[in-house]
Amino acid sequence: MDIGSNIRAIRKRKNITIAQICEETGLSQGFMSQVETNKTSPSIATLESIAGALKVPLAYLLLKKEDRMHIVRKNDRKITTSGIHQLKVAHLSATKNVRMVLVELPPGASTGEAHAHEGEEVHVVLQGTIYAEQGEDAAEFHEGDSFSWNACTPHLVKNIGEELAIVLISIYTETEHAPNYQ
C-alpha cells in the first residue's frame, strides 16, 4: 500500500508543509519524511492524526488509486455498438463490479432475441417509450420510469415509440472487470 505517497500528494495539493503537519500532530519532521517515502508504517492513531491535519477522512488515505474517484467527461466517453441493431452504447463510468451505460435505441430497434448473462441491472428510461420483457413479465415504460432485474433470466428491450429512446443502465456483476476509463 502506498499511503506515504497519498499523504505527500494531498499535502502538496493543499500547499501544506511537513513542518505545518508536524506542528499540528506533534510528529517529528524526520518521522513524517519516512512516512511520506514509505520507509515506515504509521499506526492507525498516527494516520488519524495526519488525516486530521490534512482535513481528509482517514479512509481516504487508505484508498488505492483505482478505488478513488475517476472522472469521464462527456466528450471522452468510450462509445461502442451492440446487438443486431448496432445500438449506440456510451460507457459512462465503472468500478470493479458496477458499470453504467447510456443506450440509444432508434425507433423499432431492440436488444435482439431474449438473452441472459451474469449480473443485475437497473434501467431508467430518460427519453422515449420502450417495451421490456423478462420471462413472463413484460411492461411498457415511458420517460422517467424505471425497472430492474436479475440478468441471468432471458430478457429483451425494444423501442416501441416513434422517437429515439435513451435508457440509462447500471449493471452489477460479481465478476470483477476492467473499468471503462479513458
Side-chain angles (χ1 to χ4, degrees):
M1 189 167 276
D2 200 7
I3 295 171
S5 296
N6 290 347
I7 292 170
R8 174 183 281 136
I10 294 165
R11 180 179 63 75
K12 288 186 179 246
R13 187 172 58 248
K14 292 186 171 205
N15 293 318
I16 299 172
T17 65
I18 285 182
Q20 289 171 311
I21 296 284
C22 293
E23 187 177 313
E24 191 165 331
T25 63
L27 299 171
S28 74
Q29 288 193 24
F31 180 77
M32 274 304 300
S33 178
Q34 287 188 330
V35 167
E36 286 192 356
T37 56
N38 293 307
K39 291 181 180 165
T40 190
S41 296
S43 68
I44 294 295
T46 300
L47 282 175
E48 194 167 43
S49 178
I50 294 168
L54 293 171
K55 296 180 179 34
V56 297
L58 171 62
Y60 188 75
L61 295 180
L62 303 174
L63 286 176
K64 295 177 187 173
K65 184 175 180 177
E66 61 268 17
D67 293 330
R68 291 189 174 173
M69 181 171 67
H70 293 274
I71 298 170
V72 179
R73 301 287 181 201
K74 182 178 180 179
N75 293 334
D76 296 332
R77 292 177 185 160
K78 178 180 174 184
I79 306 292
T80 60
T81 57
S82 176
I84 60 171
H85 292 111
Q86 295 295 292
L87 306 177
K88 178 180 173 186
V89 180
H91 300 264
L92 304 180
S93 198
T95 63
K96 289 181 284 199
N97 299 95
V98 178
R99 297 182 289 133
M100 287 194 70
V101 297
L102 206 53
V103 180
E104 293 183 5
L105 296 100
S110 74
T111 54
E113 296 292 319
H115 64 284
H117 53 85
E118 176 196 10
E120 297 173 343
E121 299 178 350
V122 177
H123 302 73
V124 180
V125 179
L126 300 180
Q127 178 181 307
T129 302
I130 66 160
Y131 167 83
E133 179 180 291
Q134 182 188 41
E136 296 299 310
D137 298 324
E140 185 174 301
F141 297 93
H142 304 277
E143 183 176 323
D145 292 340
S146 60
F147 60 97
S148 58
W149 54 38
N150 188 318
C152 72
T153 301
H155 55 277
L156 69 87
V157 174
K158 181 177 183 174
N159 181 349
I160 58 172
E162 297 189 13
E163 68 174 342
L164 180 72
I166 301 175
V167 182
L168 175 66
I169 306 173
S170 180
I171 304 141
Y172 169 81
T173 56
E174 291 285 330
T175 306
E176 291 184 17
H177 53 83
N180 293 312
Y181 301 126
Q182 298 298 333

